[in-house]
């Protein structure tokens, strides 16, 4: 779907932030010649715009692919993922909480399906694999329902940050793909090996909690 082979690919994406509602976050999507990848970076601010009292929450930044062009009949077009089962991303990031965003045909244009982008080795390149059926339908960051993605009506894909923390963020992205179960199996095996060697304290804690819950169930 998206492979950053050069700076020209950046034209296929758009960036957005809370500046649209008067906020103060900054967002950039640049080409990094050293990493040979796109660089999603900026600074997140939770400060509210003083001139807009109706805005009660701020602090987000994201990028996504542009809307697909309409066909010759002026009809909407989509990606068809019916034969695919996972989304895979080759990324190199920090310890911020990023989300993968998928926009498909939904009741409201502001609804998107989201899933946390877990990074097991921040500061190093890794491939994250997410089952498509585990994405949750959200509206402005809040879970709406367990409605699954209409896999034959996918419009855009991207990455967002809304972890409610001030400060800089940095994520490099090589590619984003929708893949089959067979291809996912290989990436998952590699990811499990990386997780076993992870030094990320947040993920190590989540792993210990999961192991404790498993033991309780066995008891």
């Amino acid at each position: 779907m998206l492979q950053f082979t050069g700076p020209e690919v950046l034209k296929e994406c758009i960036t957005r932030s809370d500046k649209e509602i008067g906020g103060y976050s900054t967002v950039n999507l640049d080409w990094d010649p050293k990493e040979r990848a796109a660089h999603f970076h900026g600074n997140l601010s939770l400060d509210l715009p003083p001139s807009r009292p109706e805005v009660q929450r701020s602090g987000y930044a994201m990028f996504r692919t542009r809307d697909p062009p309409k066909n010759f009949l002026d009809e909407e077009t989509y990606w068809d993922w019916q034969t695919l089962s996972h989304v895979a991303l080759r990324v190199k990031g920090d310890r911020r909480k990023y989300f993968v965003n998928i926009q498909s045909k939904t009741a409201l244009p502001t609804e998107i399906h989201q899933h946390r982008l877990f990074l097991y080795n921040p500061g190093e390149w890794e491939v994250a694999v997410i089952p498509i059926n585990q994405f949750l339908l959200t509206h402005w960051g809040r879970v709406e329902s367990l409605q699954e993605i209409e896999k034959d009506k996918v419009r855009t894909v991207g990455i967002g940050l809304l972890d409610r923390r001030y400060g800089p963020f940095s994520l490099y992205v090589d590619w984003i793909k929708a893949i089959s179960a067979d291809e996912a199996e290989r990436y998952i095996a590699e990811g499990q090996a990386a997780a076993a060697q992870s030094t990320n304290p947040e993920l190590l804690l989540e792993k210990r909690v999961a192991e404790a819950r498993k033991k309780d169930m066995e008891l």
Side-chain angles (χ1 to χ4, degrees), residues 28-163:
N28 304 278
L29 186 67
D30 307 321
W31 170 254
D32 188 293
K34 182 179 178 180
E35 296 288 350
R36 301 289 300 171
H39 189 199
F40 173 54
H41 64 104
N43 190 81
L44 208 67
S45 173
L46 310 185
D47 293 344
L48 300 176
S51 60
R52 298 191 61 182
E54 75 277 11
V55 176
Q56 299 296 313
R57 184 173 179 175
S58 187
Y60 69 87
M62 57 83 73
F63 80 89
R64 67 168 176 83
T65 54
R66 293 183 180 276
D67 293 335
K70 293 184 177 181
N71 63 19
F72 69 98
L73 296 176
D74 200 34
E75 299 171 331
E76 302 289 343
T77 60
Y78 305 93
W79 283 317
D80 188 346
W81 293 359
Q82 292 183 89
T83 61
L84 307 173
S85 61
H86 293 71
V87 173
L89 310 88
R90 186 172 187 266
V91 294
K92 174 183 176 181
D94 51 22
R95 298 183 184 275
R96 302 295 295 258
K97 293 181 180 179
Y98 299 93
F99 284 82
V100 180
N101 302 324
I102 297 175
Q103 184 182 33
S104 62
K105 187 175 182 179
T106 57
L108 299 173
T110 50
E111 291 179 328
I112 58 173
H113 283 83
Q114 293 186 306
H115 195 286
R116 173 79 182 278
L117 174 59
F118 289 104
L119 302 181
Y120 291 98
N121 290 291
E124 298 180 14
W125 282 104
E126 57 188 295
V127 176
V129 181
I130 307 170
I132 295 173
N133 61 9
Q134 289 187 10
F135 280 78
L136 298 177
L137 183 64
T138 66
H139 184 254
W140 292 110
R142 297 184 179 182
V143 176
E144 291 285 297
S145 72
L146 300 178
Q147 175 185 329
E148 292 189 6
I149 296 172
E150 287 194 53
K151 293 169 69 175
D152 61 337
K153 295 289 192 297
V154 176
R155 291 187 53 76
T156 69
V157 64
I159 297 175
L161 176 69
L162 36 81
D163 62 359

